[in-house]
Amino acid sequence: MYKYDLTGVSNYKAFENKIANKEFENLSLAFVDVNGLGIVNNTLGHEAGDFMLLTVASIMSKYFRKSDIYRKGGDEFIILAEGLSEEETKTRLTVITEELKDYDYSISYGVAHEDKCDNITSLIEKADTLMYEHKEKNKNEYIYIQDES
């Protein structure tokens, strides 16, 4: 009920339940976007897109607890890295990015951190904004980021 069968990570409903009326301490929140999923689905088929999502989730699960990874929907994931510094979270995401190159996949991400977080919505918005800045800054490096039409 709270997991996506495809990726094995929790779904957004589980995320909503986790954050409901909860204060977090030393929380790094990562907003992750799988670059080019729509193009992969449209050009190579949904099976290839499913493999892409499964691969990304699997590699993220090597560096973060699977219970801390939530698929927001489509090509977006949220990672709640409680107890990890912003720098450590970014370092792990950099390693994930490097591993994904073996598959010709890429992610964009933004990380926001608060020592004491009682308004997770603002942390999500900040991480989301940083993710879009990361995507724009690195768009020429992404294999599937731009449609060829």
Side-chain angles (χ1 to χ4, degrees), residues 12 19 23 35 41 65 69 72 74 98 102 128 131 147:
Y12 198 68
I19 65 170
E23 288 187 12
N35 294 315
N41 280 336
R65 292 182 304 224
I69 304 169
K72 187 173 185 300
E98 288 302 309
D102 291 343
D128 185 38
M131 182 273 298
D147 196 348

Side-chain angles (χ1 to χ4, degrees), residues 51-118:
F51 182 78
M52 185 181 202
L53 287 171
L54 178 60
T55 301
V56 170
S58 175
I59 292 173
M60 286 193 304
S61 296
K62 289 170 53 178
Y63 298 96
F64 295 98
R65 292 182 304 224
K66 194 175 262 193
S67 61
D68 293 341
I69 304 169
Y70 301 86
R71 183 167 174 211
K72 187 173 185 300
D75 59 359
E76 296 176 332
F77 293 86
I78 293 176
I79 301 170
L80 290 177
E82 198 168 9
L84 286 183
S85 69
E86 182 175 356
E87 281 309 308
E88 177 61 25
T89 303
K90 287 178 181 179
T91 297
R92 292 180 187 199
L93 288 163
T94 299
V95 172
I96 291 165
T97 299
E98 288 302 309
E99 258 191 70
L100 288 170
K101 287 180 181 179
D102 291 343
Y103 299 88
D104 291 332
Y105 299 155
S106 66
I107 57 172
S108 295
Y109 57 86
V111 178
H113 181 89
E114 288 188 12
D115 292 330
K116 189 163 186 83
C117 179
D118 58 4

Side-chain angles (χ1 to χ4, degrees), residues 123-139:
L123 203 60
I124 294 168
E125 290 170 359
K126 182 177 178 186
D128 185 38
T129 298
L130 291 168
M131 182 273 298
Y132 279 106
E133 289 174 6
H134 183 253
K135 181 182 280 288
E136 183 61 30
K137 179 180 167 194
N138 298 298
K139 69 181 177 184

Side-chain angles (χ1 to χ4, degrees), residues 1-20:
M1 181 160 133
Y2 291 119
K3 296 224 182 271
Y4 274 104
D5 291 334
L6 173 68
T7 61
V9 300
S10 298
N11 63 23
Y12 198 68
K13 182 69 174 167
F15 175 77
E16 289 175 329
N17 287 343
K18 171 86 175 189
I19 65 170

